[in-house]
Amino acid sequence: MNEFLEQFLIESRELIAQAADDLLALEYSPKDTGRFDSLFRAIHTLKGAAGIMDFGAMSRLSHAAEEVLSAVQTDIRTMTPELITDCLACLDQITTWLAAMEASEALPDTAEAEAERMIVRLTPGNVAADTEWPSHVPSPKGLQGSISADAGTKGHTASALAVIASILRQADLPADPGRAAAPNPPGSANNFEAPNDTNGVARPMRTDMARIDALMRLSGELVVAKNALRHEVESAQQAGMPKQHGQNLARICGQFDRLTADLLRASMAARVLPLRQVFQHFPRLVREMAAGLNKKIRLVTEGDTMEVDRLIVGALFEPVLHVLRNAADHGVESTEQREAAGKPVPAIIRLSAARLGEEMVIEIADDGRGIDLAAIRATAEARGIVSPQALAAMSQEELQELIFAPGFSTAGSVSNLSGRGVGMDAVRVAIRGLGGRVAVQSRLGAGTIIRFHLPFTVLLTQVLNVEVGGQIFGIPLAVVVETSRFRPEMTAKLGAAETIFWRSETLLLISLAQVLHLPEAASKEAAQVVIVEHSGTFSALKVDRLGKQIEVMLKPLDGLLAGMPGVAGTALLSDGRVLIVLELQELLN
Amino acid sequence: MTIKILIVDDSKLARMSVAKLLSGLRPGWTQLEAANVDEALAQSGEERPDIILLDFNMPSQSGLELAARLRESHPHVPVAIISANIQVEIAERAAQVGAIFLAKPLTEAALAEFLDAAEARLASS
């Protein structure tokens, strides 16, 4: 692909994203001149770019859009929601053309006719046809083919499909979808593969990803080699190497440590993307969802400048989409209901990202009807998911957690939009696969908050090695508060359990061997106690022996083992063994 | 001494396009690029370009304002404003700040004409 076309595609896509963002913002802040200027400039530059590439139909359509904006600026026309939909449809049309251009380096033959249709649609007095949200979201592969024929002619359906198709194209999900896989729900983006253009040349993005992956892999192997070197130096020192050599080698190992850490950090930095890459598509999608549901909903995003590992960014699209669908479909009430309850219209769904210590928290908060615990109890009982006695004993939080149970849905009717509400189960599995967890908080009548707690990277972690039942495990150093030798005087009995007194608290002494279903060590002499913290609570773990603190490249479990609770991932040790790194929060719950 | 020409446009594609035309018309010249007003001012100060081509439609400051500033600080440098808006007012306003107006998309003929005139001016000044 020639460099002009490449640059044209990159810039045009950025301009379209900017224009769409501005349009959506203007819908609710029509007087925002900054936004309007930005929108105008984006469309104008798009026109210019089309001119440079001599893509006539695109020039003409951009020009028509520009005229519409001029008319709005001079108050000849008003920026109504319908006009915004029409402008968004123009952008979708251009997006479709860009995809065709990427494949064949020219505008498709149908472009002239499509441009004409769209220009007519932009002319005042013409009303866009309105159709229903599709009854199912077709698989991404199927979308590729069906889009170009329909785009621009059928209102919500086509525009929504076009948006999803362009998102999936641009999301550039990692080549190894198994990494972050949930068992694929229908319409899953995990099956997606970027189309190669017709001469078999892969998109530029793919080559970059491959290079970065290679860099990461080599960095990871370097970490292993570095650990092996250190190991060897220490052995040599113990075997009686001359002191000076020992010191020199130790110093060099220290340098090595720093350099590999820097290299890994630098290659990780090449792998991060701002969350904006995935967040930016959602306001549009929510708008389309709302239109299809005949509700008024606005999505506000925050914190999307945060940079996160590419794998995580790509893998977030599906889970966030699921939660948004649920919120729009089940959470948000109809306009009449909201008005009757004195709630503002449009409903607001807030998608935000923030850092909380070593975690990233992504939050989807709606101001809808909240989770109805009575409905949950009824459904759980009716479906036999939980026995009535167990239900009666459940706390509010435990009842809310039931929404994650497979096959659970309190939706009265199976709506076209979110199907049977199986989303939350798949969401939890997907987030676990990334080494994270999902939490829910809700108040009846006020709204629901779904939170994803995720690690920033799936990579370099400091772990403390411990020996339990003859096996070695890693405990992330981030959760370790203290270690000490186990002394029987420390403990007291509490029924069948042991407790330990620590910093004026009495903690249950948990035998990690028991938790992991491994044999307890015969002699307790070398036993150690590791105090760990998770979500503000402290736990005391008894292990057979303490090993070293090492730095490892944590690889999350994938394939069949993905989402296994209690395990954060695996790491390759310097002696070639595989270290299982524990996820204590899940293990101890 | 080689003539230096500065191309100012926030679109890399547009800069590439002008650069290509320039390479065809004046292969021996040194090409400088700036993506925004700040870079343009920095480049003009440091590199002292002989001719400046700038885009009318840029984010923070309009091309006209930039042209006015450049004409003030470097009065002997011929400046051309390139715009897709082929309106008489813009051409007039360009003339007011002492800049030439060129229409987008830039054609080889239009650029050649401007470069010939600019070169002549430089030779005589």
Side-chain angles (χ1 to χ4, degrees):
Chain A
M1 183 186 300
N2 79 70
E3 49 169 7
F4 273 88
L5 185 59
E6 231 178 85
Q7 185 61 30
F8 167 74
L9 289 171
I10 292 171
E11 268 183 42
S12 300
R13 286 184 171 134
E14 279 170 13
L15 291 165
I16 289 175
Q18 180 64 52
D21 198 49
D22 293 331
L23 275 167
L24 289 170
L26 280 169
E27 186 160 22
Y28 295 103
S29 326
K31 298 284 171 248
D32 188 344
T33 42
R35 278 286 186 178
F36 193 87
D37 288 343
S38 166
L39 173 62
F40 199 95
R41 206 176 326 106
I43 301 288
H44 180 81
T45 312
L46 210 52
K47 182 176 88 175
I52 290 175
M53 302 301 291
D54 212 11
F55 287 137
M58 185 171 152
S59 275
R60 261 190 298 288
L61 182 53
S62 317
H63 184 73
E66 205 182 2
E67 304 240 278
V68 165
L69 294 178
S70 292
V72 169
Q73 200 170 37
T74 51
D75 286 326
I76 298 173
R77 291 182 76 170
T78 9
M79 195 58 109
T80 59
E82 290 71 34
L83 189 57
I84 290 187
T85 304
D86 289 341
C87 290
L88 287 169
C90 282
L91 296 178
D92 289 341
Q93 178 61 79
I94 299 176
T95 303
T96 311
W97 286 337
L98 291 177
M101 279 179 235
E102 191 170 21
S104 63
E105 308 213 356
L107 270 175
D109 297 329
T110 47
E112 291 294 332
E114 285 161 347
E116 264 319 299
R117 257 202 303 253
M118 195 58 71
I119 292 173
V120 164
R121 185 168 155 179
L122 286 176
T123 318
N126 293 325
V127 180
D130 205 351
T131 50
E132 288 167 18
W133 188 268
S135 58
H136 73 283
V137 178
S139 81
K141 285 207 171 110
L143 276 177
Q144 301 298 328
S146 64
I147 285 299
S148 31
D150 283 333
T153 55
K154 289 197 206 118
H156 294 301
T157 310
S159 63
L161 287 176
V163 169
I164 294 177
S166 83
I167 288 168
L168 296 176
R169 257 191 293 275
Q170 290 185 61
D172 194 43
L173 295 174
D176 180 18
R179 261 289 168 88
N184 298 323
S188 165
N190 287 338
N191 295 319
F192 178 72
E193 274 196 46
N196 289 336
D197 64 28
T198 48
N199 10 355
V201 175
R203 288 150 51 105
M205 285 289 279
R206 290 272 147 158
T207 333
D208 282 347
M209 255 301 261
R211 284 196 201 125
I212 293 171
D213 278 347
L215 199 61
M216 292 253 39
R217 197 178 22 88
L218 288 169
S219 306
E221 288 175 25
L222 198 58
V223 168
V224 173
K226 176 211 68 162
N227 284 344
L229 182 66
R230 185 177 266 288
H231 187 74
E232 205 46 53
V233 166
E234 282 165 12
S235 302
Q237 280 175 322
Q238 276 160 20
M241 177 169 46
K243 195 164 169 205
Q244 189 56 52
H245 284 301
Q247 284 176 349
N248 289 343
L249 279 171
R251 190 174 31 86
I252 294 170
C253 275
Q255 283 175 337
F256 225 127
D257 279 343
R258 277 188 299 280
L259 289 170
T260 32
D262 286 346
L263 181 63
L264 203 52
R265 244 187 302 276
S267 41
M268 263 158 52
R271 266 178 68 108
V272 295
L273 282 178
L275 277 173
R276 187 164 192 273
Q277 295 269 325
V278 65
F279 276 23
Q280 70 185 7
H281 303 289
F282 287 120
R284 177 80 196 274
L285 277 174
V286 169
R287 186 176 189 270
E288 304 292 339
M289 280 181 216
L293 291 165
N294 211 9
K295 294 181 185 173
K296 294 220 174 0
I297 310 176
R298 183 183 175 194
L299 180 71
V300 171
T301 60
E302 268 167 33
D304 60 4
T305 51
M306 191 177 300
E307 291 194 329
V308 167
D309 189 271
R310 210 181 272 253
L311 271 182
I312 296 182
V313 171
L316 278 174
F317 179 76
E318 275 282 314
V320 173
L321 185 63
H322 263 122
V323 174
L324 287 174
R325 278 203 281 237
N326 278 350
D329 203 4
H330 304 303
V332 173
E333 312 94 327
S334 70
T335 307
E336 298 79 42
Q337 287 170 326
R338 286 184 74 87
E339 280 169 353
K343 283 175 129 177
V345 171
I348 306 277
I349 301 181
R350 198 171 298 269
L351 171 61
S352 61
R355 180 177 201 144
L356 210 67
E358 286 306 307
E359 281 186 327
M360 164 184 47
V361 181
I362 296 194
E363 204 175 271
I364 299 129
D366 68 66
D367 61 358
R369 55 169 67 96
I371 294 179
D372 185 353
L373 295 177
I376 290 191
R377 267 199 207 93
T379 307
E381 214 176 302
R383 306 248 172 108
I385 294 177
V386 190
S387 73
Q389 302 94 310
L391 268 179
M394 278 185 171
S395 67
Q396 190 172 318
E397 287 77 30
E398 287 167 329
L399 281 170
Q400 281 175 359
E401 289 281 311
L402 283 177
I403 63 173
F404 296 108
F408 190 95
S409 171
T410 58
S413 63
V414 174
S415 87
N416 290 333
L417 193 53
S418 45
R420 296 181 183 284
V422 296
M424 290 317 289
D425 173 37
V427 166
R428 172 170 269 181
V429 172
I431 298 297
R432 277 209 178 130
L434 295 172
R437 59 191 169 86
V438 188
V440 58
Q441 200 181 319
S442 180
R443 229 170 62 226
L444 196 62
T448 305
I449 304 178
I450 303 283
R451 281 192 192 91
F452 298 158
H453 292 253
L454 291 160
F456 265 99
T457 68
V458 290
L459 298 157
L460 203 65
T461 326
Q462 306 269 22
V463 296
L464 171 66
N465 283 352
V466 296
E467 191 182 303
V468 179
Q471 292 187 34
I472 313 275
F473 294 93
I475 298 180
L477 213 54
V479 303
V480 175
V481 176
E482 203 179 283
T483 63
S484 55
R485 279 211 60 179
F486 173 76
R487 290 184 311 281
E489 318 83 78
M490 293 166 132
T491 66
K493 282 267 181 213
L494 191 69
E498 271 187 302
T499 61
I500 185 169
F501 197 65
W502 178 77
R503 289 194 197 175
S504 68
E505 265 190 65
T506 302
L507 304 175
L508 208 57
L509 185 62
I510 302 168
S511 158
L512 206 48
Q514 251 177 41
V515 173
L516 296 171
H517 305 294
L518 291 169
E520 296 257 22
S523 113
K524 297 228 174 24
E525 278 167 18
Q528 301 270 353
V529 174
V530 180
I531 311 284
V532 296
E533 188 199 354
H534 48 106
S535 315
T537 351
F538 296 106
S539 295
L541 305 175
K542 188 164 66 165
V543 302
D544 301 338
R545 272 214 292 227
L546 276 188
K548 293 206 189 62
Q549 289 179 19
I550 56 173
E551 199 173 66
V552 295
M553 188 149 142
L554 186 64
K555 184 182 181 303
L557 295 176
D558 55 16
L560 286 173
L561 295 175
M564 186 160 101
V567 181
T570 57
L572 199 60
L573 288 178
S574 51
D575 56 4
R577 280 184 300 171
V578 173
L579 178 74
I580 294 179
V581 178
L582 301 173
E583 212 292 307
L584 288 175
Q585 171 104 11
E586 290 172 357
L587 206 57
L588 300 176
N589 276 358
Chain B
M1 206 175 64
T2 348
I3 297 192
K4 289 188 203 167
I5 180 161
L6 172 64
I7 306 164
V8 186
D9 196 316
D10 59 320
S11 158
K12 183 172 169 192
L13 183 68
R15 296 197 307 268
M16 282 164 69
S17 162
V18 174
K20 187 172 171 193
L21 281 177
L22 269 174
S23 300
L25 290 170
R26 298 286 192 278
W29 287 9
T30 304
Q31 292 178 9
L32 303 163
E33 285 186 23
N36 54 54
V37 169
D38 292 331
E39 280 181 28
L41 292 170
Q43 289 267 40
S44 350
E46 285 166 27
E47 300 284 340
R48 304 242 164 232
D50 303 294
I51 304 177
I52 302 179
L53 296 171
L54 48 97
D55 183 41
F56 174 71
N57 184 24
M58 285 199 291
S60 57
Q61 224 177 62
S62 89
L64 272 175
E65 286 170 38
L66 179 57
R69 284 177 74 167
L70 289 169
R71 290 290 298 147
E72 215 177 307
S73 51
H74 306 86
H76 294 301
V77 174
V79 174
I81 298 180
I82 311 177
S83 172
N85 288 336
I86 310 168
Q87 293 162 3
V88 176
E89 307 99 59
I90 300 192
E92 279 175 0
R93 286 159 77 189
Q96 270 168 11
V97 300
I100 307 292
F101 174 86
L102 294 175
K104 236 187 198 184
L106 198 56
T107 62
E108 203 176 322
L111 183 58
E113 198 184 319
F114 169 70
L115 293 178
D116 291 339
E119 252 183 318
R121 265 175 66 189
L122 285 174
S124 64
S125 68

